[in-house]
């Protein structure tokens, strides 16, 4: 059953970090990643294994089902393979074009190159939500006014602001799929509770410490890879997990699904949408990573029983963006 707005407001007051790192702070809980924490994360590299947590950015990505985001459109802008054809057969109207000049250049010497461009929503696949992504009641994280995000981009809490933090820290995988004994992914309508996060950590023999980046396996991405269905529902984290992140002083949270949190309004807060986003991004200043591909990482952790690693996940520094692609790696 959905919780009440008054319960949501009580939790929001408890977890709010506004002013904790100064009135001008735009890093939020990334401040919990200290130099010692970065060194601790590096010490977790023991076997020299690099595991990619980034999904593909392609026309076969997870977007499209909900209309407001599309999969990437990838276009070649210079193609060395076309050079001879263009130079020899290009129509008259192309003669003064850059394409034709490039083609002629190709024909007369052995050098070739290819260039390309991409058009896509910044949230198309594996990504970080910036703190400016979600807000309510006209305030962003740290009380910044919502109208500091304009058609020119976010003047407060844009994704480029987090570059000072890398983002690098100790990553901890919580494999809820394995803990439940689920075949591939968590069935819709079965949100992960704060108690379950503790149970999974205990069963894996791992402790969450200040400044960690918690990575939650729901199995959604693995399921998507086999069905190609971006609209497939699946379970995520119950909104009250925001309190768990706050109590454990977690620096950031990522998952392998669309929204990290459970999408079912029946498990949310009456009269609103994505309450965990509201608490994490706006009240706590805690970034959310979405659509991470955990397929290889869960297999490796199950194999060696080690659920901690160095996590390196810097977003693209797109100035003023409210989210950005990332190609994270776990190093063990
Ligand atoms: C929304 O869908 C609003 O957010 P996200 O991309 O963070 O899931």
């Amino acid at each position: 059953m959905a919780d009440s707005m008054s319960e949501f407001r009580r939790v929001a007051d408890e977890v709010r970090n506004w002013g904790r790192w100064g009135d001008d702070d735009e890093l939020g809980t990334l401040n919990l990643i200290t130099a010692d924490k970065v060194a601790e994360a590096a010490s977790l590299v023991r076997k020299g294994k690099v595991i990619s947590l980034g999904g593909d950015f392609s026309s076969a990505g997870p977007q499209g089902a909900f209309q407001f985001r599309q999969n990437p459109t990838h276009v070649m802008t210079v193609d060395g393979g076309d050079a001879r054809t263009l130079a020899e057969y290009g129509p008259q109207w192309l003669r003064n074009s850059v394409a034709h000049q490039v083609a002629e250049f190709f024909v007369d010497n052995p050098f070739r190159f290819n260039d390309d461009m991409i058009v896509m929503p910044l949230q198309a696949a594996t990504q970080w939500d910036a703190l400016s992504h979600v807000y309510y009641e006209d305030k962003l994280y740290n009380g910044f006014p919502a109208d500091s995000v304009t058609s020119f981009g976010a003047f407060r809490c844009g994704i480029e602001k987090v570059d000072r933090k890398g983002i690098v820290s100790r990553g901890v995988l919580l494999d809820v799929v394995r803990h439940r004994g689920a075949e591939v992914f968590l069935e819709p309508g079965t949100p992960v509770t704060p108690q379950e996060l503790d149970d999974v950590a205990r069963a894996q023999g791992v402790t969450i410490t200040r400044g960690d980046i918690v990575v939650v396996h729901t199995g959604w991405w693995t399921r998507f890879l086999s069905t190609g269905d971006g609209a497939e529902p699946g379970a995520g984290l119950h909104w009250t997990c925001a309190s768990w992140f706050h109590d454990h002083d977690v620096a950031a949270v990522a998952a392998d699904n669309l929204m990290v949190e459970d999408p079912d309004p029946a498990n949310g807060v009456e009269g609103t949408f994505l309450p965990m986003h509201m608490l994490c991004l706006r009240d706590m200043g805690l970034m959310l990573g979405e659509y991470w591909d955990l397929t290889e990482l869960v297999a490796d952790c199950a194999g060696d029983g080690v659920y901690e690693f160095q996590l390196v996940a810097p977003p693209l520094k797109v100035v003023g963006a409210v989210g950005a692609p990332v190609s994270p790696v776990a190093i063990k």
Side-chain angles (χ1 to χ4, degrees):
M1 202 182 82
D3 292 300
S4 67
M5 202 47 161
S6 58
E7 177 60 6
F8 172 84
R9 287 189 191 287
R10 189 191 63 74
V11 175
D13 288 345
E14 267 176 22
V15 303
R16 192 168 300 125
N17 283 323
W18 295 8
R20 181 172 170 186
W21 296 286
D23 291 343
D24 249 4
D25 177 61
E26 298 177 66
L27 291 176
T29 48
L30 291 181
N31 282 294
L32 297 166
I33 305 175
T34 60
D36 283 350
K37 190 75 195 180
V38 175
E40 179 199 344
S43 76
L44 299 174
V45 178
R46 294 188 184 112
K47 52 186 184 183
K49 184 164 183 183
V50 179
I51 301 170
S52 170
L53 312 183
D56 290 345
F57 284 80
S58 82
S59 56
Q63 303 299 336
F66 306 114
Q67 307 298 328
F68 71 107
R69 287 181 191 148
Q70 287 78 40
N71 285 315
T73 300
H74 176 219
V75 179
M76 300 306 295
T77 50
V78 176
D79 178 351
D82 288 345
R84 183 165 300 280
T85 316
L86 255 183
E88 285 181 12
Y89 303 112
Q92 197 55 43
W93 59 267
L94 261 179
R95 296 281 146 176
N96 292 327
S97 71
V98 173
H100 193 263
Q101 285 164 16
V102 170
E104 281 189 333
F105 177 76
F106 279 158
V107 165
D108 291 340
N109 74 65
F111 173 79
R112 295 284 183 274
F113 74 102
N114 304 303
D115 266 14
D116 50 2
M117 59 180 269
I118 190 165
V119 181
M120 65 171 206
L122 291 168
Q123 295 82 4
T126 311
Q127 59 123 355
W128 281 116
D129 283 347
L131 300 185
S132 46
H133 179 48
V134 164
Y135 64 96
Y136 61 95
E137 292 165 355
D138 294 333
K139 295 272 192 262
L140 306 180
Y141 166 68
N142 222 4
F144 296 126
D147 62 11
S148 57
V149 183
T150 72
S151 55
F152 290 98
F155 287 89
R156 286 292 192 176
C157 300
I159 197 74
E160 81 281 8
K161 299 286 172 57
V162 305
D163 74 307
R164 282 194 289 132
K165 285 294 177 183
I167 298 168
V168 179
S169 192
R170 174 182 183 245
V172 176
L173 172 71
L174 294 180
D175 189 348
V176 186
V177 176
R178 184 174 164 82
H179 185 71
R180 285 191 190 178
E183 209 170 306
V184 179
F185 78 137
L186 308 181
E187 290 297 328
T190 62
V192 181
T193 62
Q195 180 62 54
E196 193 172 14
L197 292 177
D198 279 331
D199 294 345
V200 175
R202 197 174 311 109
Q204 292 179 177
V206 73
T207 307
I208 306 298
T209 58
R210 190 182 168 97
D212 284 347
I213 298 177
V214 172
V215 181
V216 183
H217 181 225
T218 75
W220 190 91
W221 188 267
T222 310
R223 169 87 174 172
F224 165 71
L225 289 178
S226 70
T227 64
D229 180 4
E232 171 115 38
L237 273 59
H238 193 268
W239 70 273
T240 53
C241 289
S243 295
W244 189 92
F245 305 150
H246 188 255
D247 295 346
H248 288 78
D249 260 342
V250 163
V253 176
D256 54 349
N257 59 3
L258 162 64
M259 306 193 279
V260 182
E261 72 179 290
D262 197 90
D264 187 348
N267 299 313
V269 172
E270 270 175 10
T272 190
F273 182 55
L274 300 186
M276 202 180 86
H277 272 62
M278 292 159 73
L279 294 171
C280 289
L281 296 170
R282 187 261 204 189
D283 290 307
M284 297 169 65
L286 179 140
M287 287 169 58
L288 298 172
E290 296 165 336
Y291 285 140
W292 290 30
D293 181 356
L294 305 180
T295 316
E296 194 185 341
L297 181 64
V298 295
D300 188 89
C301 294
D304 65 8
V306 177
Y307 286 84
E308 58 177 1
F309 39 86
Q310 183 188 35
L311 180 64
V312 182
L316 280 186
K317 287 174 64 177
V318 184
V319 174
V322 301
V326 57
S327 196
V329 288
I331 312 175
K332 294 179 77 178

